[in-house]
Amino acid sequence: MGIRGLMSFVEDHSNEFFTDLKLRDTKIVIDGYALFHRLSFNSNLELRYGGDYDSFADIVQNFFESLFACNICPYVVLDGGCDISDKKLTTLKDRAREKIQMAHSLSVGGSGYVCPLLIREVFIQVLIKLQVCFVQCFSEADRDIMTLANHWNCPVLSSDSDFCIFDLKTGFCPLNSFQWRNINTIKGTQNYIPAKCFSLDAFCHHFSNMNKALLPLFAVLCGNDHINLPIMETFLSKARLPLGATSSKGRRHHRILGLLNWLSHFANPTEALDNVLKYLPKKDRENVKELLCCSMEEYQQSRVKLQDFFQCGTYVCPDALNLGLPEWVLVALAKGQLSPFISDALVLRRTILHTQVENMQQPNAHRISQPIRQIIYGLLLNASPHLDKTSRNALPPQPLAFSEMERINKNIKTSIIDAVELAKDHSDLSKLTELSLRRRQMLLLETLKVEQTILEPIPASLKLPVAVSCYWLQHTETKTKLHHLQSLLLSMLVGPLTAIINSPGKEELQEDGAKMLYAEFQRVKVQTRLGTRLDLDTAHIFCQWQSCLQMGMYLNQLLSTPLPEPDLTRLYSGSLVHGLCQQLLASTSVESLLSMCPEAKQLYEHLFNATRSYAPTAIFLPKGKSNSKKKRQKKQNTSCSKNRGRTTAHTKCWYKGNNRFGLLMVENLEEHSEASDLE
């Protein structure tokens, strides 16, 4: 984020630009995006297996409990969708390529930092659980954060170097020097967190008492996320920037130092800008001036008053209002009840599909969830007449099309995806919340190709994950095996086990059953982290499942949650799922594992019975059967699949038939003893 190289540059001058703080008894405005990335990457979490969300949730909780212990009142501000002007598109593409390279490195045993797919959703769920105040901005949050912090005279906590440019009244505390794990005490009673605070006054004083107003120009000349003009190299090569003190860290620091020394000679931005333009060809000057001035505006006060949201629940963003979006959508976005994925699709008709630690030789894991996204796009088609003009430049003239930025091999590509045209009563986004619960639930389950009766024995908190798992199993390209399904369902028991362990009056269950099984799951997690090599095909299969869950959740949110939202913090743990896969392949059976906890065994049977009729019958075949037998079974199981991808009515009809057939096949196989321990 921000100006590359600037953060390390100012940290090299820590004694000059930073003051020590004992942070307590204050409000603090937190850059949510920076925080969840920092906690994910700097807490020794396992990143290869798709996310240990339980461990991450515990770390987030510990972080905020440290703040509470010091009487620090946090206000978390999250970025929303991409800017309407799309001026960061080049930066977004560059970062997407970097993530692909890091994901590939992790997948083959190297190093890298790639956030698990559902990390943002987990972070928000923890904020809600802890009752931490938060808001999701309509687009990028930096200016809103600065404006709120100045209104409240409190510091900002982030790792974004842009906050070295903003004129913050109470300063900016970098996350990497925020010692929240090291609470200290004054006089034995008052707790505080040691921190460092960046001083803009000290920074400007170091550069000949430079005018603060020059810093936005410095940011855009240096190249920030919003602007990276190749023609600026012409200026930089001709200007003979004065270095002053010796540059210690290569080309970036050399450029930063030279620009700051050069700018310090000018009284104001207008004078400096005129001098920049002198070095450029006359034909380019007006366009460059307009671009630079526009980019400098990004460092000015925001018109959004987040204090109104935190005090009264009112979020007013002029840019969003000008688009004429439905009121319920704006409210849901601000409360984090809809993802930025939805606002990107709404405003730009373009979405970004984030790469996971997956098999780069296979099609990206998001391909499997494309039919769910096509329904989402169909619901968003008729949002506002104002959006046609906004999205016109984003796509070729295809009224029902959206674009998706996705991984192809180890690069990115933009694909054009058609939206599904829906029934008339689903086509007006402003009235979507007026549909009955039954209609909204029906649309969700028809999209996932699941019968409602299948979910009746399932606890409310697991209905959506089970429905998503049924959708995932129906796609034969996932190459799902029995041990994959078993491991996934076993991991879903962690939440109910935690509830049993923490329930009063169930001491016997705690001691003899749930506690023992929970401890076994923790042992498997630890053992997996100690050195199990990543099975790329297994990783890819679970990446496909996570993509289905993510898009299933987004559709569920857009339909105002006809199924309860699952607790992601105890739903999926990558280390546990991969470890269980290894154990089940080796010798352990589900039956022996669950024998210690009858309640968990009964719940597992409900989960398994709900999902098995949607699985390809080939995964239930006893080991050692001939390949020809497997091929015959696969052919029988997929004989009705020619109708996939047609209208909702057709797919619903087809899956009714397929469910009955799949169940009969499993029951037939169970007459042989080989499949007896599955239930």
Side-chain angles (χ1 to χ4, degrees):
M1 297 291 287
I3 302 112
R4 292 202 173 187
L6 179 59
M7 205 67 237
S8 61
F9 176 81
V10 297
E11 286 170 349
D12 275 359
H13 298 78
S14 180
N15 292 335
E16 299 168 72
F17 301 156
F18 289 88
T19 57
D20 291 326
L21 280 186
K22 296 178 179 179
L23 210 62
R24 62 184 176 88
D25 303 324
T26 182
K27 292 177 179 176
I28 190 167
V29 180
I30 300 176
D31 178 348
Y33 178 90
L35 178 61
F36 72 71
H37 277 79
R38 183 83 189 177
L39 294 180
S40 181
F41 296 155
N42 292 77
S43 302
N44 196 32
L45 291 176
E46 179 56 70
L47 298 174
R48 293 177 298 161
Y49 298 115
D52 284 350
Y53 295 123
D54 51 351
S55 301
F56 174 72
D58 290 342
I59 289 165
V60 175
Q61 180 163 332
N62 291 340
F63 174 85
F64 284 104
E65 285 176 348
S66 292
L67 300 190
F68 300 152
C70 300
N71 197 29
I72 299 170
C73 185
Y75 291 85
V76 177
V77 183
L78 289 157
D79 288 325
C82 297
D83 192 274
I84 297 171
S85 67
D86 228 8
K87 54 182 170 249
K88 281 184 68 172
L89 182 58
T90 301
T91 300
L92 291 172
K93 288 182 176 180
D94 289 342
R95 287 185 182 162
R97 291 187 187 96
E98 289 172 6
K99 285 179 183 176
I100 290 170
Q101 295 306 315
M102 285 193 285
H104 173 65
S105 175
L106 284 166
S107 73
V108 296
S111 59
Y113 297 102
V114 177
C115 269
L117 190 65
L118 299 171
I119 201 85
R120 182 191 180 97
E121 283 73 31
V122 172
F123 182 68
I124 288 176
Q125 287 190 351
V126 178
L127 295 181
I128 292 170
K129 175 186 173 185
L130 297 176
Q131 298 183 324
V132 173
C133 296
F134 76 96
V135 64
Q136 181 173 270
C137 296
F138 187 69
S139 56
E140 193 165 292
D142 289 0
R143 293 173 68 192
D144 298 345
I145 289 172
M146 178 264 289
T147 305
L148 177 65
N150 281 344
H151 178 79
W152 280 342
N153 286 313
C154 69
V156 167
L157 184 63
S158 178
S159 56
D160 189 340
S161 57
D162 275 335
F163 290 104
C164 295
I165 306 299
F166 288 117
D167 189 4
L168 291 161
K169 293 179 182 177
T170 318
F172 154 51
C173 297
L175 274 162
N176 61 358
S177 56
F178 188 73
Q179 300 179 51
W180 63 272
R181 290 185 174 94
N182 184 30
I183 294 178
N184 289 346
T185 306
I186 302 172
K187 299 176 183 178
T189 57
Q190 297 176 319
N191 294 333
Y192 70 88
I193 295 175
K196 289 188 178 295
C197 186
F198 176 75
S199 168
L200 193 63
D201 289 334
F203 182 73
C204 290
H205 177 75
H206 180 81
F207 292 99
S208 307
N209 288 318
M210 170 193 261
N211 183 350
K212 292 179 187 178
L214 288 162
L215 290 177
L217 179 59
F218 157 73
V220 299
L221 290 176
C222 214
N224 63 4
D225 287 347
H226 298 286
I227 189 166
N228 192 9
L229 289 174
I231 199 168
M232 295 319 301
E233 293 298 325
T234 305
F235 155 71
L236 292 166
S237 63
K238 292 181 179 179
R240 294 187 181 181
L241 304 178
L243 275 181
T246 305
S247 177
S248 60
K249 286 209 173 178
R251 187 169 176 267
R252 286 195 188 280
H253 283 208
H254 180 100
R255 173 174 291 187
I256 289 168
L257 192 60
L259 269 174
L260 289 167
N261 280 318
W262 185 80
L263 285 169
S264 67
H265 292 96
F266 301 104
N268 55 61
T270 303
E271 182 185 344
L273 184 55
D274 288 342
N275 274 272
V276 169
L277 297 174
K278 287 177 184 177
Y279 292 96
L280 305 181
K282 288 184 179 180
K283 63 183 178 63
D284 297 322
R285 290 177 185 175
E286 278 306 310
N287 286 338
V288 171
K289 182 178 181 180
E290 186 178 344
L291 281 169
L292 292 176
C293 289
C294 182
S295 296
M296 288 164 64
E297 283 294 317
E298 294 298 323
Y299 295 94
Q300 303 306 311
Q301 196 92 340
S302 169
R303 292 185 292 168
V304 177
K305 297 179 180 179
L306 290 183
Q307 63 269 22
D308 291 345
F309 177 82
F310 288 123
Q311 291 165 356
C312 314
T314 305
Y315 179 82
V316 179
C317 172
D319 288 341
L321 290 175
N322 291 339
L323 295 172
L325 296 174
E327 176 67 20
W328 78 266
V329 171
L330 295 177
V331 171
L333 284 169
K335 291 182 176 180
Q337 295 165 351
L338 288 176
S339 165
F341 176 91
I342 298 297
S343 57
D344 282 348
L346 260 176
V347 176
L348 300 172
R349 290 209 178 168
R350 188 200 65 233
T351 56
I352 300 171
L353 307 179
H354 295 288
T355 300
Q356 304 175 74
V357 181
E358 56 194 79
N359 190 338
M360 300 290 169
Q361 304 302 314
Q362 294 190 34
N364 82 72
H366 293 289
R367 288 291 178 91
I368 187 176
S369 59
Q370 182 178 301
I372 305 176
R373 292 195 298 279
Q374 288 177 287
I375 296 295
I376 292 174
Y377 299 153
L379 291 168
L380 299 177
L381 273 177
N382 299 310
S384 164
H386 301 278
L387 289 174
D388 292 337
K389 183 179 179 182
T390 305
S391 59
R392 187 167 53 203
N393 297 326
L395 286 173
Q398 294 173 272
L400 303 182
F402 288 70
S403 66
E404 294 181 340
M405 203 161 77
E406 60 175 350
R407 176 187 68 80
I408 303 291
N409 297 319
K410 294 179 190 173
N411 210 329
I412 59 167
K413 178 186 175 183
T414 299
S415 302
I416 305 301
I417 305 298
D418 290 330
V420 170
E421 288 192 77
L422 298 170
K424 194 172 182 179
D425 57 350
H426 295 134
S427 63
D428 187 347
L429 185 64
S430 65
K431 296 181 179 178
L432 191 57
T433 53
E434 298 174 16
L435 290 177
S436 68
L437 173 62
R438 179 178 168 276
R439 295 293 301 277
R440 289 181 282 116
Q441 195 172 91
M442 186 183 301
L443 177 58
L444 175 65
L445 295 180
E446 284 182 1
T447 302
L448 298 177
K449 302 168 186 175
V450 175
E451 294 290 343
Q452 188 168 359
T453 53
I454 292 290
L455 301 177
E456 286 174 2
I458 307 301
S461 62
L462 293 178
K463 286 184 187 294
L464 183 59
V466 167
V468 163
S469 300
C470 292
Y471 171 92
W472 168 70
L473 286 167
Q474 292 171 59
H475 289 260
T476 54
E477 65 266 33
T478 61
K479 300 177 183 176
T480 307
K481 302 292 191 295
L482 179 58
H483 62 281
H484 297 135
L485 174 60
Q486 291 174 318
S487 302
L488 190 61
L489 298 181
L490 285 169
S491 75
M492 292 183 189
L493 301 178
V494 171
L497 284 174
T498 306
I500 292 172
I501 292 168
N502 295 327
S503 295
K506 292 194 175 183
E507 287 76 11
E508 184 179 340
L509 283 170
Q510 291 173 23
E511 198 61 42
D512 298 334
K515 206 169 183 179
M516 291 171 61
L517 182 57
Y518 184 84
E520 173 62 16
F521 283 166
Q522 296 306 307
R523 186 194 67 77
V524 171
K525 273 185 65 177
V526 172
Q527 187 177 19
T528 306
R529 291 197 59 182
L530 288 177
T532 305
R533 185 177 178 182
L534 181 66
D535 182 320
L536 263 184
D537 290 333
T538 293
H540 200 82
I541 286 165
F542 289 129
C543 285
Q544 290 171 319
W545 180 81
Q546 282 211 64
S547 177
C548 294
L549 180 62
Q550 183 187 51
M551 294 305 157
M553 284 184 63
Y554 290 172
L555 177 58
N556 190 51
Q557 290 172 348
L558 190 57
L559 295 171
S560 302
T561 58
L563 291 182
E565 188 160 295
D567 178 5
L568 296 174
T569 67
R570 298 293 181 263
L571 181 70
Y572 180 89
S573 169
S575 295
L576 174 61
V577 172
H578 281 256
L580 288 169
C581 276
Q582 294 295 323
Q583 287 203 5
L584 293 172
L585 273 176
S587 59
T588 307
S589 70
V590 172
E591 189 175 40
S592 63
L593 189 62
L594 295 179
S595 60
M596 64 185 79
C597 184
E599 282 200 356
K601 185 172 185 289
Q602 183 180 34
L603 175 56
Y604 175 85
E605 288 171 353
H606 286 314
L607 300 178
F608 185 80
N609 289 334
T611 54
R612 68 177 184 175
S613 55
Y614 290 89
T617 54
I619 78 170
F620 300 108
L621 284 171
K623 294 177 182 177
K625 292 289 183 182
S626 68
N627 286 335
S628 59
K629 177 72 176 289
K630 290 183 180 180
K631 286 178 181 177
R632 285 201 305 273
Q633 298 291 359
K634 185 177 180 181
K635 184 177 179 181
Q636 285 177 309
N637 188 51
T638 58
S639 62
C640 299
S641 64
K642 295 176 183 178
N643 289 327
R644 282 189 186 182
R646 296 187 183 176
T647 62
T648 303
H650 285 116
T651 54
K652 185 179 178 186
C653 179
W654 182 83
Y655 277 102
K656 280 182 180 177
N658 191 52
N659 292 345
R660 289 197 294 271
F661 180 75
L663 188 56
L664 288 171
M665 286 299 300
V666 174
E667 288 171 349
N668 183 45
L669 288 167
E670 285 173 347
E671 292 176 8
H672 306 282
S673 61
E674 291 90 344
S676 62
D677 73 320
L678 302 181
E679 298 182 53

